[in-house]
Amino acid sequence: MTFRSLLRVLGEAVVLPLATFAILSAARVPEVWALVGSAMTSILVVAGRYRRTGTVSTLGLIMLARFAAGLAVALGTGDATLTLAKDPAFTALVACGALGTLFAGLPLTARIRRELAAHPAAFDELWRDGPGYRRLHRRLTVLWAAGLLLESAAGFAIVYTVDFTGAVVLTRLLGPGVLIALSAWTAYRDADAVRDRVTVAAPRPSTSDPMPERG
């Protein structure tokens, strides 16, 4: 992950929603709806990416589903704490879904990697012909599931032990922090595996002496 992309993630996932929450709270909007309003920034992020690329990524779909779940809880209960607790609950569901992708065509991390690939056909070839590469992404997907479950447990602890505003801030920092860490490690291991495969596939120069020319 480059420094520029890191700044973009922090802006979209931390600064923008927290600033929206602060503005709505200052305007005396009820906590539950200030929370929903801050989550609506995810719609803007996904819409912006769709406008640029014409597609909605797997992570984009997760963001939309998370917002829909939060809106449903807010409308159904009107309880700000339950609406905030929806985030760690949804994260746990995503972790279970990630484990489920191990039995699908592409595990979660491979699916995301393919969506980000400049040349998806090259990824498809690597996936088809590289059993070690497939094993790597299955292990990485298990790692993501474990990391998301730990994030979920920490999120629940924050929601129910910290004051509401503090919990909003901490959970907004927790989620992107975990995502950045998992994404960075995945990108490192993926690039390392691709580099090793290219090295193995490269033709080795001949070390034998050329045959002497016959006069």
Side-chain angles (χ1 to χ4, degrees), residues 1 12 26 44 52 60 65 72-73 78-80 85 105 107 112 141 169 171 194 201 205 212:
M1 179 175 288
E12 294 174 348
L44 300 177
R52 293 193 303 270
V73 173
D79 188 295
I112 295 173
T141 295
V169 173
T171 53
V194 171

Side-chain angles (χ1 to χ4, degrees), residues 53-70:
T53 66
T55 61
V56 178
S57 67
T58 298
L59 291 178
L61 291 174
I62 291 173
M63 291 170 66
L64 293 176
R66 182 189 294 267
F67 171 76

Side-chain angles (χ1 to χ4, degrees), residues 87-96 99 141-159 170-171 174-175 177-179 181-182:
D87 284 340
F90 190 85
T91 298
L93 287 177
V94 172
C96 294
L99 292 175
T141 295
V142 172
L143 175 65
W144 273 60
L148 292 173
L149 287 173
L150 288 174
E151 177 195 336
S152 175
F156 276 119
I158 290 170
V159 169
L170 290 176
T171 53
L174 176 65
V178 171
L179 181 62
L182 290 173

Side-chain angles (χ1 to χ4, degrees), residues 31-189:
E31 289 179 334
V32 63
W33 297 114
L35 198 60
V36 171
S38 70
M40 285 187 67
T41 58
S42 62
I43 304 294
L44 300 177
V45 171
V46 174
R49 290 176 182 170
Y50 178 79
R51 184 176 181 181
R52 293 193 303 270
T53 66
T55 61
V56 178
S57 67
T58 298
L59 291 178
L61 291 174
I62 291 173
M63 291 170 66
L64 293 176
R66 182 189 294 267
F67 171 76
L71 181 60
V73 173
L75 289 171
T77 68
D79 188 295
T81 300
L82 281 178
T83 302
L84 184 59
K86 165 272 307 175
D87 284 340
F90 190 85
T91 298
L93 287 177
V94 172
C96 294
L99 292 175
T101 64
L102 293 172
F103 306 97
L106 288 176
L108 178 64
T109 60
R111 192 179 304 271
I112 295 173
R113 172 67 179 82
R114 187 182 189 280
E115 291 174 349
L116 297 175
H119 303 287
F123 171 87
D124 292 340
E125 180 181 355
L126 182 60
W127 180 261
R128 183 183 64 248
D129 300 334
Y133 191 68
R134 295 194 295 271
R135 286 194 299 271
L136 169 65
H137 273 284
R138 292 189 180 101
R139 290 195 298 268
L140 287 172
T141 295
V142 172
L143 175 65
W144 273 60
L148 292 173
L149 287 173
L150 288 174
E151 177 195 336
S152 175
F156 276 119
I158 290 170
V159 169
Y160 288 104
T161 59
V162 180
D163 66 275
F164 183 77
T165 300
V168 170
V169 173
L170 290 176
T171 53
R172 286 297 181 189
L173 292 172
L174 176 65
V178 171
L179 181 62
I180 288 171
L182 290 173
S183 298
W185 179 249
T186 299
Y188 169 76
R189 294 292 292 120

